[in-house]
Amino acid sequence: MASKIINWGVLGAAEIACEQTIPAIQAAPNSRAYAMASRRGVPEALIERFGFATGYGDYDELLADPAVDAVYLPLPNARHAEWTIKAARAGKHVLCEKPAALTSVEARQAIAACEAAGVIYMEAMMYQFHAQHARVRALIDSGAIGDVRGVHVNLTFNLEKSLADFRHGAIETGGGSLYDLGCYCIHTVRSLLGEPDRVASVARFAGPQRAEMSAAVVLGYDTGAKASFDCGMDATGRHAYEVYGTAGVIRLNKAFVPQADGDGPIEIVDHRGRVTHERVTSFQYVNGVAHFADCVINGQTPDYAPADVLANMRVLDACIESASSQRLIKLEKTS
């Protein structure tokens, strides 16, 4: 790695990889799209499109390639922990698509394998690398909306007709909107309010596998702060959040889905109802890939550290447990 360029291997030709992450690898100054593996074989068109040096018909063959420095894992949710562990044991740094695993226990095992192997690990929660979110935190710190009282997040898209998609599977197999979308909502709430003390969820289950198609969640804090979110695969696209306080509101209406032009509009409403608009241009996938590659080159822990990944998974566990049991789930205090 003397050239300070990371050779990336990609396990699987998922849509998120082809439409977002591989183009980001191509655009990042410290990264190279080196290889892809697919169980069906890598189409020549993909090798040409992304300029891969090689393609493999087996994931293990890619992991055995000594030229691969880091791998990106866009596999179905139920396989994230398994292949994170295999990649770590092969000495590859790991950028794993969200969610990190199906449970916090699995995530802890995967992260422990990375730590034991001395490789860098990060969950690909890429929205956070758009600069609009840093601007929101700066506005809050400046007192623009007074004392923060709560957060609400909306994240939905319509997948009802795509029955072959693995996300239509049962929760036990990694399907559902909480795994696919709720993890983003939880991360947003935690980044703004900290760790919740209790969680209550209601969900809509549908289809032949009783997939969790949508959920509404309330997160309670002993401090009196309040948070809520709704996520779903059965409604039109919504990807927004708002933070409200004693003196105003901040709203983001393009908070999660990457924009081709990097557009990140922010609306600030003060206590008199006066509205101010700002726009922040940033490219979250390129920023996230470049940050991870920098961490690999310099041997540093990512800003989105493994401990934060585990904290997010802990709340996701509680949301899923509540949706399944229809009970309020109290979260134990963490040290």
Side-chain angles (χ1 to χ4, degrees):
M1 287 185 281
S3 63
K4 305 297 184 183
I5 298 293
I6 298 302
N7 278 341
W8 285 85
V10 180
L11 296 191
E15 180 180 359
I16 189 67
C18 294
E19 298 305 317
Q20 301 297 343
T21 311
I22 301 173
I25 291 171
Q26 291 178 303
N30 54 6
S31 297
R32 177 190 180 202
Y34 172 77
M36 174 182 275
S38 173
R39 290 282 171 82
R40 300 173 184 173
V42 182
E44 190 64 32
L46 282 183
I47 292 177
E48 292 180 3
R49 175 183 171 187
F50 297 121
F52 288 120
T54 188
Y56 292 103
D58 183 88
Y59 300 152
D60 289 305
E61 289 180 0
L62 185 149
L63 294 182
D65 187 337
V68 173
D69 301 311
V71 295
Y72 167 62
L73 305 181
L75 300 171
N77 298 339
R79 307 189 73 187
H80 288 177
E82 171 193 359
W83 283 97
T84 293
I85 292 169
K86 289 181 178 180
R89 289 174 177 169
K92 310 304 182 187
H93 304 282
V94 180
L95 177 64
C96 180
E97 193 51 66
K98 52 77 198 167
L102 296 191
T103 67
S104 57
V105 171
E106 281 189 4
R108 190 176 299 278
Q109 293 169 344
I111 289 169
C114 291
E115 291 174 346
V119 299
I120 306 298
Y121 171 87
M122 189 175 82
E123 182 184 30
M125 192 77 69
M126 296 304 221
Y127 91 96
Q128 66 189 299
F129 291 98
H130 195 294
Q132 64 182 326
H133 308 293
R135 177 57 182 157
V136 169
R137 291 190 291 273
L139 286 165
I140 291 169
D141 290 344
S142 73
I145 59 170
D147 296 330
V148 173
R149 292 291 184 248
V151 176
H152 182 71
V153 189
N154 312 112
L155 185 53
T156 57
F157 67 97
N158 199 326
L159 194 68
E160 284 199 295
K161 294 182 180 179
S162 304
L163 292 177
D165 194 292
F166 76 88
R167 288 169 288 191
H168 277 278
I171 284 180
E172 294 77 13
T173 64
S177 72
L178 282 166
Y179 277 127
D180 196 52
L181 305 172
C183 58
Y184 288 112
C185 303
I186 293 165
H187 186 275
T188 300
V189 170
R190 291 181 48 256
S191 69
L192 295 166
L193 294 180
E195 303 305 325
D197 297 294
R198 52 199 169 275
V199 168
S201 308
V202 293
R204 172 186 173 238
F205 296 88
Q209 299 188 66
R210 280 189 52 75
E212 177 265 299
M213 295 299 294
S214 60
V217 179
V218 176
L219 302 100
Y221 288 78
D222 290 345
T223 62
K226 299 173 291 296
S228 59
F229 70 82
D230 69 278
C231 59
M233 307 185 299
D234 57 0
T236 192
R238 297 151 64 239
H239 42 101
Y241 71 79
E242 72 171 26
V243 191
Y244 56 94
T246 55
V249 181
I250 301 171
R251 296 191 179 103
L252 272 66
N253 291 316
K254 293 183 179 180
F256 301 103
V257 177
Q259 309 300 321
D261 58 1
D263 185 36
I266 301 174
E267 179 182 273
I268 307 105
V269 185
D270 70 14
H271 66 285
R272 293 189 176 93
R274 293 177 300 194
V275 181
T276 303
H277 294 280
E278 297 183 2
R279 306 199 93 79
V280 178
T281 299
S282 186
F283 297 93
Q284 60 207 52
Y285 276 87
V286 177
N287 294 344
V289 165
H291 172 69
F292 182 82
D294 273 342
C295 291
V296 170
I297 291 166
N298 297 308
Q300 297 175 341
T301 301
D303 289 347
Y304 185 39
D308 200 4
V309 175
L310 291 174
N312 215 64
M313 284 298 309
R314 172 175 168 266
V315 181
L316 181 56
D317 283 351
C319 291
I320 291 171
E321 181 182 355
S322 179
S324 300
S325 67
Q326 300 184 37
R327 294 188 296 109
L328 175 73
I329 305 300
K330 293 185 178 180
L331 293 162
E332 295 182 3
K333 298 291 184 181
T334 57
S335 56

